[in-house]
Amino acid sequence: MTVTEPQLAEHFGATIARGDRIEPRDWMPEAYRRTLIRQIAQHAHSEIIGMQPEGDWISRAPSLRRKAILLAKVQDEAGHGLYLYSACETLGTSRRELTDKLLSGKQKYSSIFNYPTPSYADVGTIGWLVDGAAICNQVPLCRTSFGPYGRAMIRICKEESFHQRQGYELLMTMMRGTDEQRAMVQESVDRFWWPALMMFGPPDGASPNTEQSMAWGIKRNTNDELRQKFVDMTVPQARALGVTLPDPQLRWNSERQAHDFGEPDWDEFWAVVNGAGPCNAERLAHRRKAHDDGAWVREAAVAFARLEEAL
Amino acid sequence: MISDDLLGSEAHWAFGTDFEDPLAGVDTTVPDDIDPAALARYCLMLGDDALVLSQRLSEWCSRAPDLEEDIALANIALDLLGEARLLLARAAVADPSVVPSLPDGSPVPAEDALAFFRSPAEFRNVTMTELPNGDFAETITRLLLFSVWRLAEFESLLTHPDAVLAAVAAKGRKELAYHRDFAARWFVTLARGTAESRRRVLTALAGLWAFWPELDAPADVEVVLDQVFAAADVSRPEVTPARGLGRECVHTEALTDLLAEMQSVARAHPRGLW
Amino acid sequence: MSEWPLYEVFVRGKRGLNHVHVGSLHAPDDKLALMHARDVYTRRNEGVSIWVVRASDITASSPDEKDPMFAPSGDKVYRHPTFYDIPAHVPHL
């Protein structure tokens, strides 16, 4: 008995409609597979490139406790990248292929990591705002329709909660320190606020893939919904911290029961996405060097494994 | 935070929770029959070794040959950093005069005063730990030599009259056994992998071997090392020992550079709270 | 080709529990796969025992021709059947 493509598509659609997960060996539309590979890969690349802006500060962390926390955090990001590459591999690609696409610029990573980190306070701000925004994006993905992706996200979200907390705690501690430290915190928040809002992607009107991704259960909320949620969550945290968010239009709207806020500079967003951010070239060059420098090690390990098998 | 409701208790996941406190239930008073200054000096030697090598290993973060190795090297760096913190704190308790004095009202704890406010001429680490990083073969070889020696040293401390030092050793020995196995495994892999990897590992060993005598390893440690060398089909290099005087606080320029970077933020904010 | 093969990792989180699938990783051989699994999947004291198995050595249930969900997957190249379902009540995963 042969099964026709429309029947398969119907079965696939019914699975999604029931809220069941799609698993790797299930039939799926090619476009679903391609979209997932693109989204998971971009997410994995973001974790790996995201090691660099904070990783820069490991050698200079100002206390041994902070050094341990930061190293463990950046190490987690390598782990998260690894989980996500594994999830992506279930769709019929390989880590090598994905790495090649990252290094050749065919696949993107989150633009936030193309901003520099000139101050130690940035370690705290990245944890609080950048990881906070990432958590907003990621928590709904624990229920995404593709099983391996959802399971990777559950593990990642559990680990990410420490990331956000350590960042906020660093900033709180610095705010109790010297005037100079308080100024460092405010300056860092001023630089990262708008790029953090851009992490949710372009406004819904300019996000053509959102509708299909939501229908497939790959995405659970629109960009603007998540951005609003993030702002509403962050404002009281900023108040508790004692910092000002750099948006004169930010205010509570009692009618909407939500905050009104200003529009990020979308020209800057697209410029950074398209490679003109302050650190795009540096981030990719760093990754490429690590990959190239490691080639002889990976080859040696394979050669040794073959030798062992032959014995 | 947003994830709490969805994910329930995160106690198991948060950094630093749910881990054994190596000093739980340990009597931390310095025993009467121990010379506190000598104990402090010894803790600084072992603590500085761990701190400086941890700093070198953490330079690999985001630069390792593959993600799995990136995570492994970070784990080892974290283990050594943990050992360093316990040992520096112990040195400060045993002999408070080793802790640099800071401006009045400085909130810097003793472990950080020792790590961030001593000059290179006050560090007691062996030379091998401070050498600048080379390639992956150099890091593996250094880790092999260092962890084979340090594991034996820690095993000899399990019965030390200072209960704190004995507890630190009991925790550290498990970590070091893993470091040694990891390094030995990679050492053999590289030595017998490709012509290129073998050339690199031999070069690394020739460069580091001059600093082996400074560790002053007992004979049974050399036996372990010879077993690894045999598995790797490598023999001890014929090189003149370097005059390593790290224990007497004599160091290379590399330590000056390493500390200048490591201490830069802490020193810019001597009254800072982190 | 110097790509390391894929391994599936199973961790026993506590005495008395089954080993459960926690994820995958790459390693050149079994011994390093075990070391990598320790570093990658038990960083937070998650496990008391680890199994690793090469993904290509796993035999999975074969596509059932009567089940339209499975029918055409025989002609698809799926690299490995990773990330098995994990019961919600198993802690720490």
Side-chain angles (χ1 to χ4, degrees), chain B residues 80-95:
Chain B
L80 291 175
L81 183 54
E83 291 174 17
R85 293 179 65 186
L86 292 168
L87 289 161
L88 295 188
R90 188 55 177 164
V93 169
D95 181 3

PDB file of all heavy atoms in Angstrom, chain B residues 80-95:
ATOM      1  N   LEU B  80      40.560  23.615  39.369  1.00  0.00           N
ATOM      2  CA  LEU B  80      41.789  24.202  39.925  1.00  0.00           C
ATOM      3  C   LEU B  80      41.494  25.536  40.611  1.00  0.00           C
ATOM      4  O   LEU B  80      42.072  25.853  41.653  1.00  0.00           O
ATOM      5  CB  LEU B  80      42.843  24.378  38.819  1.00  0.00           C
ATOM      6  CG  LEU B  80      43.430  23.069  38.265  1.00  0.00           C
ATOM      7  CD1 LEU B  80      44.360  23.349  37.090  1.00  0.00           C
ATOM      8  CD2 LEU B  80      44.205  22.303  39.355  1.00  0.00           C
ATOM      9  N   LEU B  81      40.586  26.291  40.031  1.00  0.00           N
ATOM     10  CA  LEU B  81      40.209  27.563  40.654  1.00  0.00           C
ATOM     11  C   LEU B  81      39.586  27.307  42.029  1.00  0.00           C
ATOM     12  O   LEU B  81      39.871  28.030  42.995  1.00  0.00           O
ATOM     13  CB  LEU B  81      39.234  28.304  39.732  1.00  0.00           C
ATOM     14  CG  LEU B  81      38.764  29.691  40.134  1.00  0.00           C
ATOM     15  CD1 LEU B  81      39.944  30.618  40.405  1.00  0.00           C
ATOM     16  CD2 LEU B  81      37.887  30.279  39.015  1.00  0.00           C
ATOM     17  N   GLY B  82      38.767  26.286  42.115  1.00  0.00           N
ATOM     18  CA  GLY B  82      38.158  25.928  43.401  1.00  0.00           C
ATOM     19  C   GLY B  82      39.221  25.534  44.419  1.00  0.00           C
ATOM     20  O   GLY B  82      39.174  25.944  45.586  1.00  0.00           O
ATOM     21  N   GLU B  83      40.199  24.754  43.995  1.00  0.00           N
ATOM     22  CA  GLU B  83      41.293  24.370  44.895  1.00  0.00           C
ATOM     23  C   GLU B  83      42.060  25.617  45.337  1.00  0.00           C
ATOM     24  O   GLU B  83      42.421  25.769  46.518  1.00  0.00           O
ATOM     25  CB  GLU B  83      42.242  23.392  44.194  1.00  0.00           C
ATOM     26  CG  GLU B  83      41.613  22.016  43.935  1.00  0.00           C
ATOM     27  CD  GLU B  83      42.519  21.103  43.096  1.00  0.00           C
ATOM     28  OE1 GLU B  83      43.737  21.377  42.984  1.00  0.00           O
ATOM     29  OE2 GLU B  83      42.003  20.114  42.543  1.00  0.00           O
ATOM     30  N   ALA B  84      42.317  26.513  44.391  1.00  0.00           N
ATOM     31  CA  ALA B  84      43.070  27.731  44.709  1.00  0.00           C
ATOM     32  C   ALA B  84      42.354  28.543  45.781  1.00  0.00           C
ATOM     33  O   ALA B  84      42.978  29.037  46.722  1.00  0.00           O
ATOM     34  CB  ALA B  84      43.270  28.572  43.442  1.00  0.00           C
ATOM     35  N   ARG B  85      41.041  28.669  45.645  1.00  0.00           N
ATOM     36  CA  ARG B  85      40.295  29.496  46.603  1.00  0.00           C
ATOM     37  C   ARG B  85      40.396  28.930  48.012  1.00  0.00           C
ATOM     38  O   ARG B  85      40.612  29.664  48.981  1.00  0.00           O
ATOM     39  CB  ARG B  85      38.826  29.598  46.171  1.00  0.00           C
ATOM     40  CG  ARG B  85      38.653  30.367  44.874  1.00  0.00           C
ATOM     41  CD  ARG B  85      37.201  30.441  44.459  1.00  0.00           C
ATOM     42  NE  ARG B  85      36.420  31.217  45.424  1.00  0.00           N
ATOM     43  CZ  ARG B  85      35.099  31.355  45.366  1.00  0.00           C
ATOM     44  NH1 ARG B  85      34.423  30.764  44.401  1.00  0.00           N
ATOM     45  NH2 ARG B  85      34.470  32.085  46.253  1.00  0.00           N
ATOM     46  N   LEU B  86      40.254  27.603  48.134  1.00  0.00           N
ATOM     47  CA  LEU B  86      40.344  26.982  49.463  1.00  0.00           C
ATOM     48  C   LEU B  86      41.742  27.147  50.051  1.00  0.00           C
ATOM     49  O   LEU B  86      41.913  27.423  51.243  1.00  0.00           O
ATOM     50  CB  LEU B  86      40.002  25.492  49.350  1.00  0.00           C
ATOM     51  CG  LEU B  86      38.550  25.161  49.009  1.00  0.00           C
ATOM     52  CD1 LEU B  86      38.409  23.693  48.626  1.00  0.00           C
ATOM     53  CD2 LEU B  86      37.640  25.490  50.192  1.00  0.00           C
ATOM     54  N   LEU B  87      42.749  26.998  49.196  1.00  0.00           N
ATOM     55  CA  LEU B  87      44.132  27.042  49.695  1.00  0.00           C
ATOM     56  C   LEU B  87      44.548  28.469  50.058  1.00  0.00           C
ATOM     57  O   LEU B  87      45.236  28.687  51.062  1.00  0.00           O
ATOM     58  CB  LEU B  87      45.072  26.433  48.657  1.00  0.00           C
ATOM     59  CG  LEU B  87      44.946  24.902  48.516  1.00  0.00           C
ATOM     60  CD1 LEU B  87      45.527  24.406  47.198  1.00  0.00           C
ATOM     61  CD2 LEU B  87      45.636  24.208  49.706  1.00  0.00           C
ATOM     62  N   LEU B  88      44.153  29.435  49.249  1.00  0.00           N
ATOM     63  CA  LEU B  88      44.495  30.822  49.576  1.00  0.00           C
ATOM     64  C   LEU B  88      43.790  31.244  50.859  1.00  0.00           C
ATOM     65  O   LEU B  88      44.368  31.923  51.718  1.00  0.00           O
ATOM     66  CB  LEU B  88      44.133  31.771  48.427  1.00  0.00           C
ATOM     67  CG  LEU B  88      44.888  31.595  47.097  1.00  0.00           C
ATOM     68  CD1 LEU B  88      44.545  32.725  46.131  1.00  0.00           C
ATOM     69  CD2 LEU B  88      46.398  31.540  47.304  1.00  0.00           C
ATOM     70  N   ALA B  89      42.533  30.842  50.978  1.00  0.00           N
ATOM     71  CA  ALA B  89      41.800  31.188  52.202  1.00  0.00           C
ATOM     72  C   ALA B  89      42.480  30.549  53.418  1.00  0.00           C
ATOM     73  O   ALA B  89      42.582  31.165  54.487  1.00  0.00           O
ATOM     74  CB  ALA B  89      40.351  30.715  52.094  1.00  0.00           C
ATOM     75  N   ARG B  90      42.962  29.317  53.251  1.00  0.00           N
ATOM     76  CA  ARG B  90      43.636  28.645  54.367  1.00  0.00           C
ATOM     77  C   ARG B  90      44.944  29.369  54.722  1.00  0.00           C
ATOM     78  O   ARG B  90      45.276  29.523  55.906  1.00  0.00           O
ATOM     79  CB  ARG B  90      43.929  27.187  54.001  1.00  0.00           C
ATOM     80  CG  ARG B  90      44.463  26.356  55.176  1.00  0.00           C
ATOM     81  CD  ARG B  90      43.496  26.447  56.326  1.00  0.00           C
ATOM     82  NE  ARG B  90      43.854  25.637  57.501  1.00  0.00           N
ATOM     83  CZ  ARG B  90      43.307  25.832  58.702  1.00  0.00           C
ATOM     84  NH1 ARG B  90      42.414  26.792  58.882  1.00  0.00           N
ATOM     85  NH2 ARG B  90      43.642  25.072  59.722  1.00  0.00           N
ATOM     86  N   ALA B  91      45.676  29.794  53.718  1.00  0.00           N
ATOM     87  CA  ALA B  91      46.930  30.516  53.969  1.00  0.00           C
ATOM     88  C   ALA B  91      46.648  31.778  54.787  1.00  0.00           C
ATOM     89  O   ALA B  91      47.385  32.110  55.723  1.00  0.00           O
ATOM     90  CB  ALA B  91      47.603  30.879  52.642  1.00  0.00           C
ATOM     91  N   ALA B  92      45.570  32.465  54.435  1.00  0.00           N
ATOM     92  CA  ALA B  92      45.239  33.715  55.122  1.00  0.00           C
ATOM     93  C   ALA B  92      44.870  33.473  56.580  1.00  0.00           C
ATOM     94  O   ALA B  92      45.202  34.271  57.456  1.00  0.00           O
ATOM     95  CB  ALA B  92      44.094  34.415  54.393  1.00  0.00           C
ATOM     96  N   VAL B  93      44.194  32.353  56.850  1.00  0.00           N
ATOM     97  CA  VAL B  93      43.819  32.037  58.237  1.00  0.00           C
ATOM     98  C   VAL B  93      45.065  31.635  59.038  1.00  0.00           C
ATOM     99  O   VAL B  93      45.256  32.064  60.176  1.00  0.00           O
ATOM    100  CB  VAL B  93      42.770  30.903  58.266  1.00  0.00           C
ATOM    101  CG1 VAL B  93      42.573  30.384  59.687  1.00  0.00           C
ATOM    102  CG2 VAL B  93      41.449  31.403  57.692  1.00  0.00           C
ATOM    103  N   ALA B  94      45.919  30.830  58.410  1.00  0.00           N
ATOM    104  CA  ALA B  94      47.092  30.320  59.124  1.00  0.00           C
ATOM    105  C   ALA B  94      48.045  31.459  59.488  1.00  0.00           C
ATOM    106  O   ALA B  94      48.575  31.509  60.588  1.00  0.00           O
ATOM    107  CB  ALA B  94      47.805  29.269  58.270  1.00  0.00           C
ATOM    108  N   ASP B  95      48.257  32.366  58.555  1.00  0.00           N
ATOM    109  CA  ASP B  95      49.203  33.452  58.800  1.00  0.00           C
ATOM    110  C   ASP B  95      48.684  34.731  58.143  1.00  0.00           C
ATOM    111  O   ASP B  95      49.007  35.024  56.993  1.00  0.00           O
ATOM    112  CB  ASP B  95      50.581  33.077  58.229  1.00  0.00           C
ATOM    113  CG  ASP B  95      51.608  34.172  58.483  1.00  0.00           C
ATOM    114  OD1 ASP B  95      51.274  35.189  59.148  1.00  0.00           O
ATOM    115  OD2 ASP B  95      52.754  34.012  58.010  1.00  0.00           O
TER     116      ASP B  95
END
